[in-house]
C-alpha cells in the first residue's frame, strides 16, 4: 500500500528561518517577487496591463496587492498548498524562465513573521474571486471571497506575531521594499510612498560621458560609502548582465573578498556576493543586474556553475582591458591606481602577459639605484640581479650598487614569481636571482702589502670562526661605513639546514640526512671584512691576536644581525662571548693580566 508524505509546515517554516534564510526580512523580498512574477505573467498575454504593487502597513498588519495575473481556484490548490511540485507548476505556466521565483515557496516565507496568511485573488483568465487562508500549523481553506474584484490581481495579507512585530512596521517595510525592489520595472508604493526608481542607474541616459561618470560616482558613494577612483562598465550578454565596477580609492586588503551588489531580473539578490569578480580584482566593487545567472536555494547568493565561471572570467577580461586603456590614455590615472592597487595587478601578471607588460613599464620597484620601473632598470643593468627577500636586499643593495651590480628588491608579494617571467615579454631579459656568494667575486682584495701585514690576523680570525663553519676574507669595497658582510650561497644555506635538521632528528633521520650532507660539496659561508672601514683596519693591526679574535667574533655576530640571518646557539654563544670579552678589556683599561 502506497502512502503520501505528511509535511509538517511548522517544521518547514523552522527550516526556512533557521537554515535557508539569513533573516526574517527576506519575506518582503519573497512577496515582492511573487507580485512581480504575477505582473510579468499578465503582461505576457496583455502588454498594456498595469504594473502596480501597492503595500499597506499599519498596526502590525501588512497587505500586498498586485495587478498581476491572479489565480483560479485550481491554481490556488496547486500553487499554495503544495511544496516542490514543479511539474504541475510548469503546466500552469508559473515556472517560466522570466519569473524571479516560485510562487508557493515564496508565500511560505510569510510564516516567518505571521501565523496566518490570507490570499484574495482573481484570475485574468476568468472565474470568481477566491480566498485562500493558510495557517502555520499546516491547515488551509479555500472559499469564494464573498465579493468580486473588479480587476484581476492578488492581495496577500498577514498579521505579525508579537515576537516578529519589528518586521511589520511602516519604516521597516519601506526600507526593505527600497532595498530589494528599487530597480523593479513596476510601480511599488508603501502607504502611498513610491519605492522604485525604474531603470538601473548605469543604463540611464546622460548628456555627456563626464556627466554620466559624475552621476555614477555619486551612486557608488551612496552604495559603498566611498567616491570611486574610476567607474568601469560591465557587460556579459550570455548572462544577460549589465552593471558597473567601482574602483576603490584606498588600498584594499587582498585577503578580504569584496562584497558585490547583485540583482537578478532587477530584484536585489544580495549586497555582499562573493565570486562575481576574479580574486585578483579585490580593488573593485561591482553592482550588476543579470537575467541568466542562477541564485542558490535561499536566493541570497549566486549558484556556482559554468555560466557564473564564464561571467567571472569575462568581467576579469573587461577590468584588464580597462587597465590597458588607462595605460594608453591616462598615464597619470594609471600611476595613481598602481600606487593603491599594485597587488591586484601583480596577481594578474602572474598568468597574463599583457598585465606583465603593464607591470614592467609602469610599476616602480625598489632597486640599488633608486626607485624605477623594471624596464628602466633592465636598460641600465642588462645583467642585473634580484633578491627574493627584503632583508637580503637591504643588506646587499649598497654593496651591490657600489660594485656596479644592479639589484632589484623582489622580496614583496608576487615579485619573486613575476621577475623570472620577464623573459616571456622580453627574451633578452637577463634578470636573474642573486646568489650572495657570487657578490664576493666582485669585491677587490686590498693591496698586497696590506694583505701581507694582515696575514697573522687572518690566521687567528680563521681559527676562531672555523668551529662556526665560516671562512674569513679581507676585501676592499664600498661603502666604507660597512665593516663586515656575511655572505652565504643558497647551496650553503641548504647544507646548513640539513645539518641543523640532522642534529635535532632521531637516529634514523640523522643517518639519512648525514648521508645527504656528505654528498654535497659546497663553499662555506664567508665573513668579508672591509679593509676600507677604519675600525677593520685598526682590528687587523692589533698586536694582541687574542683580542683581535674576540673582535672578529663581534664583527661576525654584527654581520649576522645586520643581514637578518638566523642565529644558531653557537652563533649566540660567540656573540655573547665577544661582547663580554670586549667589555672586560674595556673595564680593565685595555690591559690584560
Amino acid at each position: 500500500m502506497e502512502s503520501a508524505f505528511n509535511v509538517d509546515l511548522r517544521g518547514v517554516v523552522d527550516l526556512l528561518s533557521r537554515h535557508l534564510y539569513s533573516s526574517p526580512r527576506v519575506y518582503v523580498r519573497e512577496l515582492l517577487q511573487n507580485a512581480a512574477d504575477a505582473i510579468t505573467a499578465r503582461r505576457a498575454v496583455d502588454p498594456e496591463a498595469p504594473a502596480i504593487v501597492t503595500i499597506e502597513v499599519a498596526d502590525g498588519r501588512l497587505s500586498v496587492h498586485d495587478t498581476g495575473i491572479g489565480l483560479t481556484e485550481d491554481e490556488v490548490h496547486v500553487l499554495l498548498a503544495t511544496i516542490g511540485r514543479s511539474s504541475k507548476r510548469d503546466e500552469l505556466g508559473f515556472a517560466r524562465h522570466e519569473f524571479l521565483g516560485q510562487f508557493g515557496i515564496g508565500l511560505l516565507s510569510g510564516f516567518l513573521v505571521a501565523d496566518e496568511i490570507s490570499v484574495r485573488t482573481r484570475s485574468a483568465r476568468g472565474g470568481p474571486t477566491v480566498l485562500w487562508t493558510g495557517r502555520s500549523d499546516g491547515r488551509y481553506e479555500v472559499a469564494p471571497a464573498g465579493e468580486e474584484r473588479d480587476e484581476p490581481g492578488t492581495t496577500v495579507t498577514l498579521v505579525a506575531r508579537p515576537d516578529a512585530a519589528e518586521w511589520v512596521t511602516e519604516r521597516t517595510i519601506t526600507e526593505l521594499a527600497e532595498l530589494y525592489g528599487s530597480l523593479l520595472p513596476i510601480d511599488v508604493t508603501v502607504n502611498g510612498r513610491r519605492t522604485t526608481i525604474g531603470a538601473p542607474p548605469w543604463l540611464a541616459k546622460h548628456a555627456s560621458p563626464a556627466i554620466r561618470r559624475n552621476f555614477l560616482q555619486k551612486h557608488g558613494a551612496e552604495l559603498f560609502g566611498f567616491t570611486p577612483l574610476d567607474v568601469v562598465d560591465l557587460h556579459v550578454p550570455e548572462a544577460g548582465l549589465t552593471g558597473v565596477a567601482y574602483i576603490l580609492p584606498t588600498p584594499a586588503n587582498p585577503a578580504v573578498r569584496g562584497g558585490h551588489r547583485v540583482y537578478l531580473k532587477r530584484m536585489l539578490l544580495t549586497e555582499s556576493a562573493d565570486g562575481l569578480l576574479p580574486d585578483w580584482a579585490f580593488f573593485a566593487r561591482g553592482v550588476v543586474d543579470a537575467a541568466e545567472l542562477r541564485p542558490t536555494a535561499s536566493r541570497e547568493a549566486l549558484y556556482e556553475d559554468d555560466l557564473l565561471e564564464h561571467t567571472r572570467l569575462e568581467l576579469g577580461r573587461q577590468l584588464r582591458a580597462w587597465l590597458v586603456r588607462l595605460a594608453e590614455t591616462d598615464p597619470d590615472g594609471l600611476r595613481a591606481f598602481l600606487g593603491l592597487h599594485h597587488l591586484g595587478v601583480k596577481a594578474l601578471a602572474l598568468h597574463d602577459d599583457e598585465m606583465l607588460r603593464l607591470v614592467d613599464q609602469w610599476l616602480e620597484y625598489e632597486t640599488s639605484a633608486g626607485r624605477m620601473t623594471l624596464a628602466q632598470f633592465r636598460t641600465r643593468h642588462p645583467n642585473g640581479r634580484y633578491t627574493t627577500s627584503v632583508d637580503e636586499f637591504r643588506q646587499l643593495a649598497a654593496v651591490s650598487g657600489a660594485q656596479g651590480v644592479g639589484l632589484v628588491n623582489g622580496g614583496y608579494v608576487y615579485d619573486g614569481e613575476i621577475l623570472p617571467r620577464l623573459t616571456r615579454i622580453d627574451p633578452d631579459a637577463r634578470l636573474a636571482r642573486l646568489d650572495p656568494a657570487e657578490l664576493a667575486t666582485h669585491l677587490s682584495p686590498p693591496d698586497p702589502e696590506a694583505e701581507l701585514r694582515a696575514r697573522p690576523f687572518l690566521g687567528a680570525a680563521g681559527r676562531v670562526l672555523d668551529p662556526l663553519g665560516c671562512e674569513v676574507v679581507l676585501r676592499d669595497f664600498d661603502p666604507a661605513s660597512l665593516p663586515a658582510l656575511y655572505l652565504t650561497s643558497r647551496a650553503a644555506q641548504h647544507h646548513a639546514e640539513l645539518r641543523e635538521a640532522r642534529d635535532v632528528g632521531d637516529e634514523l633521520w640523522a643517518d639519512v640526512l648525514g648521508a645527504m650532507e656528505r654528498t654535497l660539496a659546497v663553499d662555506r659561508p664567508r665573513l668579508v671584512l672591509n679593509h676600507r672601514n677604519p675600525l677593520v683596519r685598526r682590528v687587523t693591526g692589533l698586536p694582541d691576536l687574542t683580542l683581535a679574535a674576540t673582535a672578529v667574533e663581534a664583527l661576525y655576530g654584527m654581520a649576522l644581525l645586520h643581514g637578518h640571518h638566523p642565529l644558531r646557539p653557537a652563533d649566540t654563544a660567540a656573540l655573547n662571548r665577544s661582547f663580554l670579552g670586549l667589555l672586560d678589556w674595556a673595564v680593565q683599561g685595555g690591559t690584560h693580566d
Side-chain angles (χ1 to χ4, degrees), residues 53-373:
V53 177
T54 304
I55 302 176
E56 296 179 355
V57 57
D59 300 325
R61 180 184 180 88
L62 176 69
S63 174
V64 180
H65 171 70
D66 67 69
T67 59
I69 196 164
L71 302 172
T72 65
E73 183 172 348
D74 288 342
E75 291 169 348
V76 165
H77 282 285
V78 171
L79 295 175
L80 305 189
T82 60
I83 298 173
R85 202 165 158 194
S86 59
S87 60
K88 188 64 176 177
R89 183 177 286 112
D90 291 346
E91 293 173 14
L92 296 176
F94 285 96
R96 293 205 308 273
H97 166 269
E98 61 267 27
F99 289 170
L100 293 166
Q102 299 287 4
F103 192 82
I105 194 69
L107 188 64
L108 279 181
S109 66
F111 288 117
L112 297 174
V113 298
D115 286 328
E116 182 175 295
I117 301 173
S118 67
V119 178
R120 187 180 300 270
T121 181
R122 182 186 178 197
S123 174
R125 300 181 180 93
T129 302
V130 178
L131 176 63
W132 176 93
T133 304
R135 299 174 181 83
S136 60
D137 59 8
R139 295 178 294 118
Y140 78 93
E141 59 187 38
V142 180
E147 60 182 53
E148 292 298 319
R149 303 178 65 116
D150 293 332
E151 289 290 332
T154 300
T155 302
V156 178
T157 304
L158 58 82
V159 178
R161 295 191 306 271
D163 64 332
E166 61 181 301
W167 298 107
V168 190
T169 66
E170 181 177 359
R171 178 178 178 179
T172 299
I173 298 298
T174 301
E175 291 176 352
L176 293 177
E178 290 177 341
L179 174 68
Y180 288 116
S182 62
L183 300 187
L184 286 173
I186 58 180
D187 188 0
V188 180
T189 60
V190 178
N191 287 357
R193 175 183 170 182
R194 181 170 178 156
T195 60
T196 48
I197 62 174
W202 54 89
L203 297 180
K205 302 296 183 181
H206 295 278
S208 70
I211 293 175
R212 179 177 183 269
R213 173 188 163 94
N214 185 59
F215 172 79
L216 289 176
Q217 283 185 317
K218 291 180 179 178
H219 176 251
E222 292 173 0
L223 289 185
F224 297 112
F226 63 81
T227 300
L229 187 69
D230 205 348
V231 181
V232 184
D233 283 297
L234 304 175
H235 182 57
V236 183
E238 297 87 343
L241 182 146
T242 64
V244 289
Y246 293 118
I247 307 302
L248 291 165
T250 55
N253 184 351
V256 178
R257 302 189 71 178
H260 309 290
R261 197 178 184 97
V262 176
Y263 295 82
L264 293 186
K265 300 182 179 71
R266 310 266 289 266
M267 175 72 77
L268 179 69
L269 178 75
T270 176
E271 299 173 273
S272 55
D274 283 338
L276 178 68
L277 299 181
D279 288 343
W280 54 262
F282 52 81
F283 51 79
R285 296 292 179 267
V287 185
V288 302
D289 176 54
E292 304 296 334
L293 294 179
R294 295 168 56 194
T296 57
S298 66
R299 294 203 285 277
E300 295 183 289
L302 291 171
Y303 182 78
E304 192 69 41
D305 58 10
D306 291 343
L307 181 57
L308 178 57
E309 175 64 17
H310 168 78
T311 299
R312 185 162 44 240
L313 293 174
E314 180 61 21
L315 294 180
R317 187 194 65 78
Q318 292 174 20
L319 284 172
R320 183 178 70 85
W322 165 76
L323 284 170
V324 173
R325 269 196 320 275
L326 204 61
E328 296 171 349
T329 62
D330 186 7
D332 290 338
L334 179 63
R335 290 190 188 94
F337 171 82
L338 291 176
L340 296 170
H341 303 302
H342 55 277
L343 284 181
V345 178
K346 286 181 180 180
L348 185 55
L350 295 180
H351 52 80
D352 187 293
D353 291 349
E354 195 66 39
M355 288 299 98
L356 184 61
R357 289 188 181 90
L358 190 148
V359 168
D360 182 48
Q361 296 291 330
W362 295 97
L363 192 60
E364 289 190 343
Y365 276 74
E366 188 178 8
T367 79
S368 55
R371 295 192 66 83
M372 64 182 69
T373 66

Side-chain angles (χ1 to χ4, degrees), residues 505-522:
D506 58 28
E507 184 176 349
L508 174 61
W509 277 110
D511 291 341
V512 173
L513 295 174
M516 294 175 61
E517 183 183 355
R518 288 190 293 273
T519 64
L520 297 175
V522 297

